[in-house]
Amino acid sequence: DYIAILPPSPTLSLTGSEEPGAGPSQRREEEEPASGVSSLRAVFTVIVLCFINLLNYMDRFTVAGVLPDIEQYFGINDGKSGLLQTVFICSYMFLAPVFGYLGDRYNRKMIMSVGISFWSIVTLASSYTPKEYFWLLLLTRGLVGVGEASYSTIAPTIIADLYIKERRTQMLSVFYFAIPVGSGLGYIVGSKVDDLAGDWHWALRVTPALGLVAVVLLLFVVKEPKRGAIEARPEHTLQRTSWLGDMKALCRNPSFVLSTFGFTAVAFVTGSLALWAPAFLFRAAVFTEGRPPCVKGPCDTSDSLYFGIITVVSGILGVASGAEVSRRLRLRTPRADPLVCALGLLLSAPFLYLAIVFAQASPIATYVFIFLGETFLSMNWAIVADILLYVVVPTRRSTAEAFQIVLSHLLGDAGSPYLIGVVSDSLKQTDSYLWQFRSLQLSLLTCSFVAVGGGAFFLATALFIEKDRQRATNYAPTGERLNLELRFCA
């Protein structure tokens, strides 16, 4: 699929030293990092990318933090509420391949800058939606996915071009800390701004301002690294194949395909919990504790606040523990990464089941089980990204990121919030507070079984991971030949 061309080696004299023609400029080039980015600049680049990723997820889950207010304001049922997340994920999912294709071929920094600017403007516009135009809120939430697709498919590939091996895993762990932290902050900021302003619209006006700050940092701090150069496989030594050729190669990569299906299960579960967990906890409190229902806004958002705090803490512990367990287990087996991902999903399933079942009996037990379930669920975020990066060659990585986003969201969180809402509506026998709670409870139990299925996919990934990693690593020449050498990556 690729033709790798070795650049000529420096001219050596018979004694092994450089010939006199090698001047100071040549020595400076040799001392420059292979990526073209200094170590300090690389650290700042990761920090900026983490900040943007945090805003990305913070914006995504602000809506979930004020969902009872939105339902009351527009007078919508569970099915229509689920559409808020579904339309966003659908646009995000279908545009990811476009930005993946562009990210493998053009300046990634400029693509992200344009996308984040568009996302900030559309998010701000969505906060001015009139009460009679719920469809307009759906449209603007869908357009937000355009901006996020431009970032999520590209940012991990920049980190991959700055670091290798253990250092890359560490930086990806830092980058993916932003997912649970940003998600949790979305609930926290959304609920607190709603309380302070007495209007849920203001909750959607926080991230746009921070998004414009992110664009400035992206333009003036981040430097575009050379693709693949850090791995001694600079992009100018490769001839790219067509997009169709890239897709064929990815589909023949068992580790990539199976880990993507495993991650799809993660997306299904997190998508369902992200939108419905605060609303479920609120309904449980109305049914079991006698809390007043939300008849007129602003609604009680304390459950969103508590769920946000749990998401932040459990996410940090999960990502950190997953990376550390994987690092230690790699000393014993090269199959460590998919095994840790499988362990996380299989352990999360029973705790999520217990959290949903205990909601009517003990709120404290429910929060404890949610914490444990989310901690284990978060163990695979950085590891899945690392698996993709080391089983896929450098010039296909943005395309692979895009393909994984499409498949995982298409079968995962694109439909799961809407599906949970529709099933909840269908199970309601009456419109009483009892059945508003009970129907959503039964619908959410699906998540535990999906998590078990995801664990099985990661166990299957472990069977192929060694071979696929070796193939991706060795597609470039590693011998001492100084002339052209052909290598093919099946």
Side-chain angles (χ1 to χ4, degrees), residues 53 57 60-61 92 156 169 172-181 183 263 265-271 274 311 314-316 318-320 322-323 337 340-341 344 373-388 401 404 408-409 413 458:
N53 204 31
Y57 281 88
R60 189 181 300 187
F61 295 111
Y92 172 68
T169 303
L172 284 171
S173 298
V174 173
F175 178 76
Y176 283 105
F177 273 132
I179 294 180
V181 174
S183 302
F263 188 67
V266 178
F268 185 100
V269 175
T270 54
T311 300
S314 64
I316 292 174
V319 173
D337 289 348
V340 172
C341 290
E374 285 200 323
T375 299
F376 288 119
L377 195 63
S378 299
M379 288 179 66
N380 61 65
W381 284 109
I383 302 174
V384 170
D386 202 19
I387 290 174
L388 182 149
E401 290 279 355
Q404 189 172 83
S408 62
H409 290 308
D413 55 351
F458 279 118

Side-chain angles (χ1 to χ4, degrees), residues 179-241:
I179 294 180
V181 174
S183 302
L185 287 177
Y187 297 110
I188 295 170
V189 172
S191 61
K192 295 309 293 182
V193 171
D194 185 13
D195 288 341
L196 294 173
D199 184 357
W200 65 269
H201 294 86
W202 283 98
L204 301 182
R205 298 168 186 166
V206 177
T207 52
L210 296 174
L212 296 179
V213 174
V215 172
V216 174
L217 292 173
L218 190 60
L219 290 173
F220 293 100
V221 175
V222 174
K223 183 179 179 182
E224 177 86 0
K226 300 173 184 175
R227 289 181 178 86
I230 193 72
E231 298 165 287
R233 294 177 289 180
E235 60 179 329
H236 70 268
T237 66
L238 297 172
Q239 292 183 1
R240 290 192 182 88
T241 56

Side-chain angles (χ1 to χ4, degrees), residues 244-281:
L244 185 60
D246 290 346
M247 292 303 299
K248 287 181 179 178
L250 291 174
C251 290
R252 292 196 300 265
N253 188 327
S255 296
F256 171 73
V257 173
L258 290 169
S259 63
T260 297
F261 278 117
F263 188 67
T264 299
V266 178
F268 185 100
V269 175
T270 54
S272 301
L273 294 178
L275 186 70
W276 288 115
F280 172 69
L281 293 170

Side-chain angles (χ1 to χ4, degrees), residues 59-177:
D59 173 77
R60 189 181 300 187
F61 295 111
T62 297
V63 169
V66 294
L67 187 61
D69 285 278
I70 293 176
E71 287 185 320
Q72 184 276 326
Y73 181 81
F74 289 103
I76 55 177
N77 58 21
D78 288 348
K80 289 185 177 179
S81 298
L83 280 176
L84 285 170
Q85 188 76 347
T86 296
V87 295
F88 160 77
I89 294 297
C90 284
S91 67
Y92 172 68
M93 172 183 66
F94 287 118
L95 286 166
V98 177
F99 288 107
Y101 177 87
L102 296 174
D104 277 336
R105 289 157 177 83
Y106 302 103
N107 187 289
R108 293 172 286 187
K109 185 171 78 169
M110 297 309 299
I111 294 171
M112 289 191 295
S113 299
V114 173
I116 295 167
S117 300
F118 180 79
W119 153 58
S120 300
I121 293 169
V122 173
T123 300
L124 181 62
S126 70
S127 70
Y128 292 96
T129 306
K131 178 181 282 191
E132 299 81 13
Y133 297 96
F134 176 69
W135 64 268
L136 188 57
L137 180 63
L138 287 177
L139 176 63
T140 52
R141 290 306 297 173
L143 292 175
V144 168
V146 177
E148 294 203 17
S150 69
Y151 175 77
S152 298
T153 56
I154 295 174
T157 69
I158 291 180
I159 296 177
D161 287 333
L162 292 172
Y163 299 99
I164 57 173
K165 298 182 179 179
E166 295 295 332
R167 187 66 169 162
R168 176 191 287 170
T169 303
Q170 293 170 1
M171 288 302 178
L172 284 171
S173 298
V174 173
F175 178 76
Y176 283 105
F177 273 132

